[in-house]
Amino acid sequence: MTLPNPQRPDGGGQGARDHDWSAGAQPLTRYVERGVQWVRAFDRRRPLVWDLLLTGFFVAVAFTDVASGGWRNIARNKEVGVWLVSTMTLTFTVPLLWRRRHPLAVHGVMVLAMVVNTWTGATLQASFILLIVLFNIAMRLPTRTLAWSYGLLVVPPVIGHIRYPRGSWDQQVVPTMMSFAIVALLGIAVRTRQEYMASLVQRARQLEVERDQQAQIATHAERTRIAREMHDIIGHNLSVITTLADGGSYAAAKSPERAAQALTAIGTTSRQALTELRRLLDVLREDAPETAALAPQPALTDLDQLIEGVRAAGLPVRGTVHGRPDSLPAGRQLTVYRVVQEALTNTLKHGGPEATASVEVVYGDDGVRATVTDTGVGGGPTAADIGGRGLTGMRERTALYDGTLEAGPLRHPPGGWHVELHLPKEFKEFKESAQ
């Protein structure tokens, strides 16, 4: 197998993908980091293979020292039997195979072998393999377990100094304990770094999840906004066109002039609908020109034009305005406009041929209030319409500004439908941007 290519974005392994912190580092640092990640990934996939290789390596090295008699060069007692030396060598090396599954048991066995090693005076260098076990304990077990495991390591050098007193105490015991302490601290440092990197990876993943969730929320909100705009633009204009077409076909036989007027109004309404639809679609295009976003949204100053269009479709409408807008924000003006538009559209669709409507807009100290009533006999929107986008869109727009919307049939004769919108003067700024 080859080392992963540092030029690859994924690093060639799961570990590299989890914390690829070396993207901006020097080439040598990247290669070292990729190599370490590859070793760790291999160890996670095949831990037994790695343990067998490590154990086999130390067994071979330790028995080479026994076979060559090199251990006698530093032994305090050169007369120790070969069988005992071989047994201690096996005890120091073979348990490495279980160091991760049973670290404390392996540690205990090796400490006993180390006691025998110092008592007999063989002083086998294979005893330092215990450093690997101590490092493993420092990386994986609690600090309290590490403390008493380190305490057990004091016993063998003390026994060796008492059994074979050569030199001072600090020359025989302190260096050994310092070696074990350095390895323990190294294990703690590696463990701390791994936990820190794991926390960074977890945080990065959490941020990615939150980012995706925010993107989904934003996408849903944008789809809802587009659906409202499409419904208001297409639904209203098609309702006007349908009403004009029905009236024109009825008047064609009796009054050709009225039919021609209806056709003219249909053409005007269709062009207006196409203009608004193109503006909306231009904004949605990725390659939309900068001027596309500058097209104005309908405002309260366009209410008169809206009412005239509905009148032309055959619905008598009376409009009344009390007060002045006093720089009412564009978002709230659009909300009032769309609610009035939807209410008049519903009257056109369900009010019947004898229906009339009135629109009243009041600007006060508490905000803006718009009321649309009609005398239609159709009973207002049907159940299917209530479950659609009409009233739902009105309520969604109203909720953006903490407003209230009441819609329902009139209780007193001659019947009809009533829609009342109220937007308070104070509203949350982030909702203004959502519009």
PDB file of all heavy atoms in Angstrom, residues 360-380:
ATOM      1  N   GLU A 360     -60.977  49.775   2.769  1.00  0.00           N
ATOM      2  CA  GLU A 360     -60.714  50.898   3.668  1.00  0.00           C
ATOM      3  C   GLU A 360     -59.338  50.704   4.295  1.00  0.00           C
ATOM      4  O   GLU A 360     -59.048  49.656   4.896  1.00  0.00           O
ATOM      5  CB  GLU A 360     -61.775  50.984   4.762  1.00  0.00           C
ATOM      6  CG  GLU A 360     -61.582  52.186   5.683  1.00  0.00           C
ATOM      7  CD  GLU A 360     -62.656  52.262   6.761  1.00  0.00           C
ATOM      8  OE1 GLU A 360     -63.360  51.235   6.952  1.00  0.00           O
ATOM      9  OE2 GLU A 360     -62.785  53.302   7.403  1.00  0.00           O
ATOM     10  N   VAL A 361     -58.481  51.713   4.147  1.00  0.00           N
ATOM     11  CA  VAL A 361     -57.128  51.689   4.717  1.00  0.00           C
ATOM     12  C   VAL A 361     -57.012  52.850   5.685  1.00  0.00           C
ATOM     13  O   VAL A 361     -57.297  54.009   5.307  1.00  0.00           O
ATOM     14  CB  VAL A 361     -56.058  51.792   3.617  1.00  0.00           C
ATOM     15  CG1 VAL A 361     -54.658  51.769   4.242  1.00  0.00           C
ATOM     16  CG2 VAL A 361     -56.206  50.652   2.615  1.00  0.00           C
ATOM     17  N   VAL A 362     -56.608  52.535   6.917  1.00  0.00           N
ATOM     18  CA  VAL A 362     -56.514  53.549   7.970  1.00  0.00           C
ATOM     19  C   VAL A 362     -55.090  53.543   8.525  1.00  0.00           C
ATOM     20  O   VAL A 362     -54.589  52.499   8.972  1.00  0.00           O
ATOM     21  CB  VAL A 362     -57.526  53.275   9.104  1.00  0.00           C
ATOM     22  CG1 VAL A 362     -57.404  54.346  10.194  1.00  0.00           C
ATOM     23  CG2 VAL A 362     -58.944  53.244   8.547  1.00  0.00           C
ATOM     24  N   TYR A 363     -54.451  54.720   8.505  1.00  0.00           N
ATOM     25  CA  TYR A 363     -53.134  54.886   9.109  1.00  0.00           C
ATOM     26  C   TYR A 363     -53.323  55.583  10.452  1.00  0.00           C
ATOM     27  O   TYR A 363     -53.860  56.688  10.519  1.00  0.00           O
ATOM     28  CB  TYR A 363     -52.220  55.729   8.218  1.00  0.00           C
ATOM     29  CG  TYR A 363     -52.051  55.184   6.825  1.00  0.00           C
ATOM     30  CD1 TYR A 363     -52.770  55.700   5.753  1.00  0.00           C
ATOM     31  CD2 TYR A 363     -51.164  54.142   6.585  1.00  0.00           C
ATOM     32  CE1 TYR A 363     -52.615  55.208   4.479  1.00  0.00           C
ATOM     33  CE2 TYR A 363     -51.007  53.636   5.307  1.00  0.00           C
ATOM     34  CZ  TYR A 363     -51.728  54.167   4.258  1.00  0.00           C
ATOM     35  OH  TYR A 363     -51.574  53.663   3.000  1.00  0.00           O
ATOM     36  N   GLY A 364     -52.892  54.938  11.517  1.00  0.00           N
ATOM     37  CA  GLY A 364     -53.041  55.502  12.849  1.00  0.00           C
ATOM     38  C   GLY A 364     -51.767  55.410  13.650  1.00  0.00           C
ATOM     39  O   GLY A 364     -50.719  54.944  13.167  1.00  0.00           O
ATOM     40  N   ASP A 365     -51.872  55.845  14.901  1.00  0.00           N
ATOM     41  CA  ASP A 365     -50.698  55.786  15.781  1.00  0.00           C
ATOM     42  C   ASP A 365     -50.300  54.354  16.123  1.00  0.00           C
ATOM     43  O   ASP A 365     -49.144  54.093  16.480  1.00  0.00           O
ATOM     44  CB  ASP A 365     -50.980  56.561  17.073  1.00  0.00           C
ATOM     45  CG  ASP A 365     -51.185  58.050  16.811  1.00  0.00           C
ATOM     46  OD1 ASP A 365     -50.669  58.527  15.788  1.00  0.00           O
ATOM     47  OD2 ASP A 365     -51.866  58.707  17.631  1.00  0.00           O
ATOM     48  N   ASP A 366     -51.250  53.430  16.063  1.00  0.00           N
ATOM     49  CA  ASP A 366     -50.963  52.034  16.404  1.00  0.00           C
ATOM     50  C   ASP A 366     -50.550  51.209  15.196  1.00  0.00           C
ATOM     51  O   ASP A 366     -50.383  49.989  15.295  1.00  0.00           O
ATOM     52  CB  ASP A 366     -52.179  51.389  17.070  1.00  0.00           C
ATOM     53  CG  ASP A 366     -53.397  51.374  16.152  1.00  0.00           C
ATOM     54  OD1 ASP A 366     -53.419  52.184  15.190  1.00  0.00           O
ATOM     55  OD2 ASP A 366     -54.310  50.563  16.399  1.00  0.00           O
ATOM     56  N   GLY A 367     -50.421  51.822  14.017  1.00  0.00           N
ATOM     57  CA  GLY A 367     -50.016  51.089  12.835  1.00  0.00           C
ATOM     58  C   GLY A 367     -50.962  51.337  11.680  1.00  0.00           C
ATOM     59  O   GLY A 367     -51.614  52.381  11.582  1.00  0.00           O
ATOM     60  N   VAL A 368     -51.082  50.356  10.802  1.00  0.00           N
ATOM     61  CA  VAL A 368     -51.944  50.457   9.634  1.00  0.00           C
ATOM     62  C   VAL A 368     -52.982  49.346   9.696  1.00  0.00           C
ATOM     63  O   VAL A 368     -52.687  48.224  10.114  1.00  0.00           O
ATOM     64  CB  VAL A 368     -51.113  50.366   8.328  1.00  0.00           C
ATOM     65  CG1 VAL A 368     -50.349  49.067   8.255  1.00  0.00           C
ATOM     66  CG2 VAL A 368     -52.020  50.519   7.095  1.00  0.00           C
ATOM     67  N   ARG A 369     -54.216  49.711   9.282  1.00  0.00           N
ATOM     68  CA  ARG A 369     -55.314  48.745   9.290  1.00  0.00           C
ATOM     69  C   ARG A 369     -55.996  48.788   7.925  1.00  0.00           C
ATOM     70  O   ARG A 369     -56.314  49.861   7.421  1.00  0.00           O
ATOM     71  CB  ARG A 369     -56.290  49.073  10.409  1.00  0.00           C
ATOM     72  CG  ARG A 369     -57.385  48.023  10.624  1.00  0.00           C
ATOM     73  CD  ARG A 369     -58.305  48.464  11.754  1.00  0.00           C
ATOM     74  NE  ARG A 369     -57.561  48.704  12.981  1.00  0.00           N
ATOM     75  CZ  ARG A 369     -57.279  47.756  13.879  1.00  0.00           C
ATOM     76  NH1 ARG A 369     -57.687  46.515  13.657  1.00  0.00           N
ATOM     77  NH2 ARG A 369     -56.611  48.056  14.973  1.00  0.00           N
ATOM     78  N   ALA A 370     -56.190  47.599   7.341  1.00  0.00           N
ATOM     79  CA  ALA A 370     -56.866  47.501   6.049  1.00  0.00           C
ATOM     80  C   ALA A 370     -58.048  46.560   6.190  1.00  0.00           C
ATOM     81  O   ALA A 370     -57.913  45.449   6.734  1.00  0.00           O
ATOM     82  CB  ALA A 370     -55.911  46.994   4.976  1.00  0.00           C
ATOM     83  N   THR A 371     -59.218  47.008   5.692  1.00  0.00           N
ATOM     84  CA  THR A 371     -60.442  46.219   5.798  1.00  0.00           C
ATOM     85  C   THR A 371     -61.060  46.076   4.418  1.00  0.00           C
ATOM     86  O   THR A 371     -61.238  47.075   3.696  1.00  0.00           O
ATOM     87  CB  THR A 371     -61.449  46.884   6.753  1.00  0.00           C
ATOM     88  OG1 THR A 371     -60.820  47.104   8.021  1.00  0.00           O
ATOM     89  CG2 THR A 371     -62.666  45.996   6.947  1.00  0.00           C
ATOM     90  N   VAL A 372     -61.359  44.857   4.054  1.00  0.00           N
ATOM     91  CA  VAL A 372     -62.006  44.562   2.768  1.00  0.00           C
ATOM     92  C   VAL A 372     -63.276  43.783   3.056  1.00  0.00           C
ATOM     93  O   VAL A 372     -63.225  42.712   3.687  1.00  0.00           O
ATOM     94  CB  VAL A 372     -61.085  43.755   1.835  1.00  0.00           C
ATOM     95  CG1 VAL A 372     -61.789  43.486   0.508  1.00  0.00           C
ATOM     96  CG2 VAL A 372     -59.767  44.481   1.609  1.00  0.00           C
ATOM     97  N   THR A 373     -64.392  44.325   2.633  1.00  0.00           N
ATOM     98  CA  THR A 373     -65.683  43.633   2.798  1.00  0.00           C
ATOM     99  C   THR A 373     -66.373  43.555   1.451  1.00  0.00           C
ATOM    100  O   THR A 373     -66.148  44.392   0.566  1.00  0.00           O
ATOM    101  CB  THR A 373     -66.590  44.370   3.800  1.00  0.00           C
ATOM    102  OG1 THR A 373     -66.782  45.717   3.346  1.00  0.00           O
ATOM    103  CG2 THR A 373     -65.955  44.394   5.184  1.00  0.00           C
ATOM    104  N   ASP A 374     -67.210  42.542   1.290  1.00  0.00           N
ATOM    105  CA  ASP A 374     -67.983  42.423   0.052  1.00  0.00           C
ATOM    106  C   ASP A 374     -69.380  41.941   0.393  1.00  0.00           C
ATOM    107  O   ASP A 374     -69.648  41.491   1.518  1.00  0.00           O
ATOM    108  CB  ASP A 374     -67.289  41.484  -0.936  1.00  0.00           C
ATOM    109  CG  ASP A 374     -67.195  40.053  -0.443  1.00  0.00           C
ATOM    110  OD1 ASP A 374     -68.247  39.454  -0.146  1.00  0.00           O
ATOM    111  OD2 ASP A 374     -66.059  39.520  -0.342  1.00  0.00           O
ATOM    112  N   THR A 375     -70.255  42.050  -0.575  1.00  0.00           N
ATOM    113  CA  THR A 375     -71.646  41.616  -0.416  1.00  0.00           C
ATOM    114  C   THR A 375     -71.926  40.379  -1.247  1.00  0.00           C
ATOM    115  O   THR A 375     -73.063  40.151  -1.682  1.00  0.00           O
ATOM    116  CB  THR A 375     -72.600  42.748  -0.839  1.00  0.00           C
ATOM    117  OG1 THR A 375     -72.340  43.080  -2.215  1.00  0.00           O
ATOM    118  CG2 THR A 375     -72.387  43.982   0.022  1.00  0.00           C
ATOM    119  N   GLY A 376     -70.888  39.594  -1.481  1.00  0.00           N
ATOM    120  CA  GLY A 376     -71.048  38.425  -2.319  1.00  0.00           C
ATOM    121  C   GLY A 376     -71.943  37.383  -1.689  1.00  0.00           C
ATOM    122  O   GLY A 376     -72.074  37.279  -0.463  1.00  0.00           O
ATOM    123  N   VAL A 377     -72.575  36.592  -2.537  1.00  0.00           N
ATOM    124  CA  VAL A 377     -73.477  35.548  -2.061  1.00  0.00           C
ATOM    125  C   VAL A 377     -72.842  34.179  -2.152  1.00  0.00           C
ATOM    126  O   VAL A 377     -73.470  33.171  -1.842  1.00  0.00           O
ATOM    127  CB  VAL A 377     -74.792  35.552  -2.879  1.00  0.00           C
ATOM    128  CG1 VAL A 377     -75.526  36.859  -2.673  1.00  0.00           C
ATOM    129  CG2 VAL A 377     -74.488  35.338  -4.359  1.00  0.00           C
ATOM    130  N   GLY A 378     -71.554  34.144  -2.570  1.00  0.00           N
ATOM    131  CA  GLY A 378     -70.895  32.852  -2.720  1.00  0.00           C
ATOM    132  C   GLY A 378     -70.328  32.303  -1.431  1.00  0.00           C
ATOM    133  O   GLY A 378     -69.822  31.187  -1.400  1.00  0.00           O
ATOM    134  N   GLY A 379     -70.399  33.069  -0.368  1.00  0.00           N
ATOM    135  CA  GLY A 379     -69.927  32.559   0.901  1.00  0.00           C
ATOM    136  C   GLY A 379     -68.446  32.619   1.104  1.00  0.00           C
ATOM    137  O   GLY A 379     -67.919  31.981   1.988  1.00  0.00           O
ATOM    138  N   GLY A 380     -67.747  33.387   0.293  1.00  0.00           N
ATOM    139  CA  GLY A 380     -66.306  33.505   0.483  1.00  0.00           C
ATOM    140  C   GLY A 380     -65.577  32.303  -0.056  1.00  0.00           C
ATOM    141  O   GLY A 380     -66.125  31.487  -0.799  1.00  0.00           O
TER     142      GLY A 380
END
